[in-house]
Amino acid sequence: MIRLEHVTLRYPGGKGISDISFSVKEGRVTGYLGPNGAGKTTTIRCLMGFMKPDGGSCTIRGMDCFREGTAIKRFLGYIPGEIAFPKGMSCREYLNYQCDLRGVKDTSRMRELMERFELPGKGTMKQFSKGMKQKVGIVAAFLHDPEVLILDEPTSGLDPLMQNEFIRLILEEKKRGKTILLSSHMFEEVERTCDDVVIIREGQIAARADTEELTSSRRKGYVVRTPELARLKAFGFPVGEETEESCVVYVRGSETDAFFKQLAAITVLDLDTKTQTLEDIFLQYYETGEKSHESDDF
Amino acid sequence: MNLTIFKCTLKRYWKLLLLFVAVLCMYLAIIISLIEPDDMAKVQGLFGTMEDFMGAFSIDIAAMTSPLNYTASTFFSVLVMAFTMVFYVILSVGLIARQVEDTSLSCTLSAPVKRSTLVLTCGLFLIFSMAVLFLGILGCGLGMLGRYGAFDAMAYGNLVGVTFCLCTAVAMLSFFLSVAFCGSRLGAGLAVGVPIGLLFLQMAAGAGGDRTRWLSYLTPFGYLDSVGIVTGEVSSLGLYLVFGAAVLALLGASVAVFQRKRLPI
């Protein structure tokens, strides 16, 4: 449904994205993660037709995102990373504006979403908080019941209740067979909604994997307090958080015996366990840029 | 053209438009009310005390031989060019460039709206706004001049028409520059700076006498001989064609440029 093949876009300053290839199959929710400045928004701008890539192709349903952007947007919903609205409009005026632009005559879905996300119809959006503006953006993206959604940090600024409400909405849309590309820093949101994850770093794909596969391949973390940290790190197991006296070592189930035999060779002052969350896995890419799981395109 | 975008833009700018119509009409009314049609020499004397200063504003005191000539010489000089310029630079920067800068344009372009339709609609709105401004000037001028008795209303209408085409052409240039350079620091700067620069050239051409008169050939404002148009000495057909073609060409160029533009929204 959404396909990027060898997409490259360079800004005059040299940054951008390089040789990005991945796809989002119909009916799937794909998480698109990466540290700040990695290239997530640039990728999304290519998909939205706001920028034409220097090389490669971006297509949605086989249509080129730049040349046929208008046709694509008939069935596409979008939440931008930075919400900004035309000046002087109230919430209802803006949503009616979106309905008019899209030729949506039946506003029942819009009203239903406004109620769900507790949006007032009155008041200029100048007075709205970031969270309120984000809710308006969410309603605007979903009000025409699009088949494809591109969401750039959709829960940014939302309170925990509204975040949960948004996750429920995504899961409902997923059940209805919608295709969603979700760029986010909220690991819990990605864990709960995404079937697949693509991680980008410094403009290139660092990893892509099935969320279920990632979850099942989680390692167990052992918090080891020892005065011989250097020897512990030399064992060769992935190491997480570290302090002066301790560090977290991540061990797969099959490696447990080997780990404990090596551990017996050093002085251990304390030992505790810690299960590796998806956040821990993702943070490895944010910090070190290691490539880990690479499966075929989804 | 997209009517939804047009209506939304009108809602955003109608107060500014009305304000400028009111200011221009008020200014025109005050200027015309200074006339003593039976004693135009007195009016010439009033302006004659500031002859050099009047030159900078392209005001020809010697031409003030009738209320219509007086109006053409005073109001339809640098004054109308400057006042309308303030209006159209605000508009031309706000229509596209400002929305790219604050990323609010993504709200419109995330809907199934072609870039060409968006720019065409904004460009047409600019032309429409200029037309409203000059319709106000036309109506106010006809009313005020009519108080002094019969006058050549067609000539006045013709002058308003040519001035409208000229100012709209420069407005379109400002719009084109704001669209071509939107997303960069140059966008707003060029859209404001180039028209002001052209106006300063005209003022310099008038202020320096014969030494600097050649500068008027470097700016489109220098081709507006307002007194010549009302007296019939200058043919306005060529001016309509040139300025009209400039408006259409710049609008077309704006559409062409924007379709290829990288938008950081």
Side-chain angles (χ1 to χ4, degrees):
Chain A
M1 179 68 96
I2 300 174
R3 183 172 283 275
L4 293 100
E5 284 176 351
H6 308 293
V7 174
T8 298
L9 187 148
R10 284 256 163 263
Y11 291 116
K15 288 191 97 179
I17 54 176
S18 178
D19 197 26
I20 300 287
S21 296
F22 69 89
S23 63
V24 183
K25 284 197 177 131
E26 193 166 348
R28 306 270 284 185
V29 181
T30 296
Y32 194 43
L33 282 71
N36 295 330
K40 302 186 299 297
T41 299
T42 302
T43 310
I44 287 171
R45 282 172 179 163
C46 291
L47 285 169
M48 289 302 297
F50 297 154
M51 291 190 175
K52 188 179 177 187
D54 296 318
S57 74
C58 292
T59 57
I60 297 177
R61 256 203 208 158
M63 291 187 273
D64 184 88
C65 292
F66 192 77
R67 282 198 316 271
E68 299 172 89
T70 311
I72 290 171
K73 283 159 194 169
R74 286 189 224 284
F75 55 84
L76 180 74
Y78 170 62
I79 300 177
E82 297 240 6
I83 293 267
F85 301 112
K87 288 184 172 45
M89 281 186 171
S90 70
C91 168
R92 192 171 281 278
E93 279 172 353
Y94 173 69
L95 294 173
N96 285 334
Y97 173 67
Q98 286 294 318
C99 286
D100 289 341
L101 283 179
R102 296 177 183 284
V104 171
K105 302 274 187 266
D106 179 8
T107 57
S108 55
R109 181 159 167 88
M110 178 186 95
R111 280 181 270 117
E112 177 204 315
L113 285 166
M114 283 178 74
E115 208 179 300
R116 187 169 177 173
F117 286 93
E118 297 169 10
L119 268 180
K122 295 174 189 171
T124 55
M125 292 194 285
K126 206 171 153 182
Q127 301 157 345
F128 278 16
S129 64
K130 180 167 170 32
M132 290 293 285
K133 286 181 186 175
Q134 198 69 26
K135 289 196 274 187
V136 175
I138 290 170
V139 173
F142 285 82
L143 59 77
H144 57 294
D145 198 19
E147 289 161 43
V148 179
L149 288 143
I150 295 177
L151 313 173
D152 194 351
E153 302 194 35
T155 55
S156 166
L158 292 184
D159 61 57
L161 282 174
M162 283 299 126
Q163 282 175 19
N164 274 331
E165 196 55 49
F166 178 76
I167 289 171
R168 264 198 288 274
L169 176 64
I170 294 291
L171 293 171
E172 283 166 18
E173 295 299 298
K174 187 171 153 179
K175 248 189 208 159
R176 294 173 68 209
K178 304 298 174 75
T179 307
I180 302 173
L181 178 67
L182 171 68
S183 168
S184 179
H185 285 299
M186 307 284 290
F187 299 108
E188 193 205 334
E189 178 179 279
V190 171
E191 211 166 343
R192 285 173 67 184
T193 59
C194 297
D195 301 305
D196 318 289
V197 165
V198 175
I199 299 174
I200 181 172
R201 187 187 148 79
E202 290 179 353
Q204 293 182 306
I205 300 291
R208 44 180 152 239
D210 191 287
T211 319
E212 216 178 284
E213 187 191 302
L214 273 179
T215 309
S216 64
S217 72
R218 277 182 203 171
R219 298 165 195 240
K220 197 170 189 80
Y222 293 99
V223 186
V224 182
R225 197 159 68 90
T226 173
E228 296 175 83
L229 272 178
R231 282 184 69 187
L232 176 64
K233 285 193 260 186
F235 289 171
F237 294 98
V239 168
E241 302 142 38
E242 214 178 299
T243 64
E244 267 180 33
E245 275 193 327
S246 68
C247 73
V248 182
V249 182
Y250 292 104
V251 181
R252 281 203 180 91
S254 57
E255 296 164 338
T256 308
D257 184 54
F259 172 68
F260 276 102
K261 282 185 170 134
Q262 285 181 282
L263 202 61
I266 64 171
T267 307
V268 177
L269 300 174
D270 193 23
L271 185 67
D272 201 356
T273 56
K274 177 183 189 295
T275 305
Q276 189 184 36
T277 61
L278 276 181
E279 179 172 348
D280 296 323
I281 298 169
F282 296 150
L283 280 172
Q284 287 173 37
Y285 295 99
Y286 278 44
E287 285 163 9
T288 66
E290 283 172 28
K291 291 199 177 198
S292 103
H293 308 279
E294 284 217 23
S295 55
D296 293 336
D297 283 359
F298 316 125
Chain B
M1 191 182 91
N2 187 299
L3 210 58
T4 304
I5 297 173
F6 191 93
K7 280 195 288 186
C8 173
T9 313
L10 182 62
K11 218 171 178 181
R12 223 168 354 126
Y13 288 107
W14 71 269
K15 286 179 187 169
L16 183 74
L17 180 57
L18 270 186
L19 176 68
F20 271 84
V21 169
V23 166
L24 281 164
C25 290
M26 184 192 72
Y27 206 82
L28 177 61
I30 289 170
I31 283 181
I32 296 176
S33 67
L34 292 173
I35 295 173
E36 283 185 44
D38 299 327
D39 193 359
M40 291 305 297
K42 205 174 180 181
V43 176
Q44 285 174 315
L46 179 68
F47 284 87
T49 55
M50 301 174 284
E51 195 163 349
D52 292 336
F53 185 67
M54 292 297 114
F57 285 81
S58 305
I59 294 176
D60 183 359
I61 299 168
M64 295 179 188
T65 52
S66 70
L68 180 58
N69 284 15
Y70 159 84
T71 305
S73 179
T74 51
F75 185 77
F76 288 87
S77 60
V78 168
L79 287 173
V80 76
M81 298 168 196
F83 269 109
T84 54
M85 184 177 293
V86 175
F87 174 73
Y88 62 68
V89 298
I90 293 173
L91 217 58
S92 63
V93 171
L95 285 170
I96 298 280
R98 185 111 320 130
Q99 289 195 74
V100 171
E101 207 177 287
D102 67 15
T103 73
S104 61
L105 198 67
S106 64
C107 296
T108 304
L109 285 182
S110 62
V113 172
K114 285 185 191 175
R115 287 193 189 197
S116 55
T117 305
L118 172 65
V119 176
L120 199 61
T121 305
C122 291
L124 289 174
F125 179 80
L126 182 58
I127 296 170
F128 162 80
S129 302
M130 294 297 287
V132 168
L133 276 185
F134 280 88
L135 277 172
I137 291 169
L138 177 69
C140 179
L142 287 174
M144 291 298 294
L145 286 169
R147 287 171 59 221
Y148 298 114
F151 72 102
D152 191 349
M154 287 294 290
Y156 178 70
N158 192 32
L159 174 61
V160 172
V162 173
T163 313
F164 159 71
C165 288
L166 164 65
C167 292
T168 305
V170 183
M172 262 305 138
L173 175 63
S174 175
F175 180 71
F176 167 74
L177 290 168
S178 81
V179 166
F181 295 95
C182 66
S184 76
R185 281 186 208 133
L186 285 175
L190 286 174
V192 173
V194 169
I196 290 175
L198 293 173
L199 189 65
F200 276 153
L201 278 173
Q202 176 61 15
M203 292 177 75
D210 289 332
R211 281 179 302 131
T212 57
R213 210 171 298 283
W214 62 273
L215 286 171
S216 65
Y217 294 111
L218 301 179
T219 163
F221 296 120
Y223 293 91
L224 179 69
D225 181 354
S226 48
V227 175
I229 288 170
V230 294
T231 58
E233 285 165 22
V234 170
S235 168
S236 49
L237 178 64
L239 295 171
Y240 278 121
L241 288 173
V242 168
F243 295 141
V247 168
L248 292 174
L250 287 164
L251 183 58
S254 303
V255 170
V257 159
F258 193 69
Q259 280 183 306
R260 289 164 182 69
K261 200 100 181 82
R262 267 191 190 172
L263 300 174
I265 54 175

